[in-house]
Amino acid sequence: MNAAPSFQKIALIGFGLIGGSIARAARAQGLAGEIVTTARSEKTRARVRELGLVDAVVETNAEAVRDADLVILGIPVGACGAVAEEIAGHLKPGAIVSDVGSVKGAVVREMAPHLPAGIHFVPAHPVAGTEHSGPDSGFAELFINRWCILTPPEGTDPDAVERLRAFWAALGARVEIMTPDHHDLVLAITSHLPHLIAYTIVGTADELAQVTSSEVIKFSAGGFRDFTRIAASDPIMWRDVFLANKEAVLEMLGTFNEDLSKLTRAIRRGDGQALFDHFTRTRAIRRGIVEIGQDSAAPDFGRPHAQLGKKPE
């Protein structure tokens, strides 16, 4: 635990999986003198009060950010611009404003124009999560040995970037800094396209299940179960992700369709060598992910080996 908090007051706007995990981990590490949160629904606010994970739960975004040194938006990316406009006049001079969205270019374009001079805008994306949502879903170990990508706009105060980098590192994350556009291109292939494929496959299976008396669901193998886990993610969040990052997603989807056509031809022609070569190459990628510690038997939830406060190797 840190001897002194990194921030005297942290405001969390939105309290789902990521916001709840930040609150739990920041409290465990002593990173905040005070943690205040708000959420759109009274039901969520009431549940956060019951859990006792923060110092105060308030009714409005404006009230939450008052006197906060660090403000983190844990809301769908499509709502970030409107919230930035709402809180702009209530921010403490010198405060750091960040988010946790999976798209960065659109967030920068929609939030930055509303933030006044003297406010440090450092968007962030913790690349961690589960299919679960809501205030009960968070856990302090979520970010351990996972990447958090910071995408500060050009001209951002380096000291503010370093303070946020140190904060995420203290939560257990590995921190990388890149431009918003590059982030969106990388995440389009590593996260957004896989989710789109999962939603598609599960939807197709559901249509088939209606014809086969649910046998597709009943006899689903491990691979299909993995797809259903991904496809169970928050539909509002992912709707906003695809709309906000549509250019990069469409580019990656085009490349994917080309590769899928090659595999279709190989199967049709009985070209076993082409299939073997492709599967060998992709197997090596999987091994590489495991070797660098980015997956385990329990990749994102309940990792018993993870210890908060232990530096990632």
Side-chain angles (χ1 to χ4, degrees), residues 276-292:
F276 178 82
D277 291 344
H278 183 82
F279 299 157
T280 299
R281 178 166 60 88
T282 56
R283 187 184 189 190
I285 294 172
R286 167 63 185 175
R287 287 177 172 173
I289 291 173
V290 173
E291 286 173 0
I292 65 172

Side-chain angles (χ1 to χ4, degrees), residues 9-87:
K9 178 181 176 180
I10 295 177
L12 301 173
I13 296 180
F15 204 91
L17 169 67
I18 301 299
S21 296
I22 292 172
R24 289 169 170 92
R27 173 170 283 187
Q29 291 297 93
L31 299 177
E34 179 185 11
I35 302 176
V36 176
T37 192
T38 188
R40 185 171 56 87
S41 76
E42 173 54 36
K43 181 179 178 180
T44 299
R45 295 195 297 269
R47 181 54 184 157
V48 176
R49 291 189 186 98
E50 291 175 358
L51 291 171
L53 299 173
V54 299
D55 297 288
V57 181
V58 297
E59 302 297 314
T60 67
N61 296 331
E63 187 178 357
V65 305
R66 191 171 295 120
D67 296 323
D69 305 290
L70 173 62
V71 176
I72 300 178
L73 277 60
I75 57 178
V77 294
C80 286
V83 170
E85 183 177 14
E86 179 185 356
I87 66 175

Side-chain angles (χ1 to χ4, degrees), residues 153-192:
E154 187 175 352
T156 302
D157 183 358
D159 291 338
V161 176
E162 173 55 27
R163 288 190 71 194
L164 193 62
R165 186 209 64 78
F167 174 79
W168 279 105
L171 297 184
R174 301 179 179 187
V175 183
E176 183 89 3
I177 297 175
M178 61 180 66
T179 66
D181 289 343
H182 185 67
H183 165 278
D184 289 352
L185 188 63
V186 171
L187 269 294
I189 186 61
T190 61
S191 175
H192 304 165

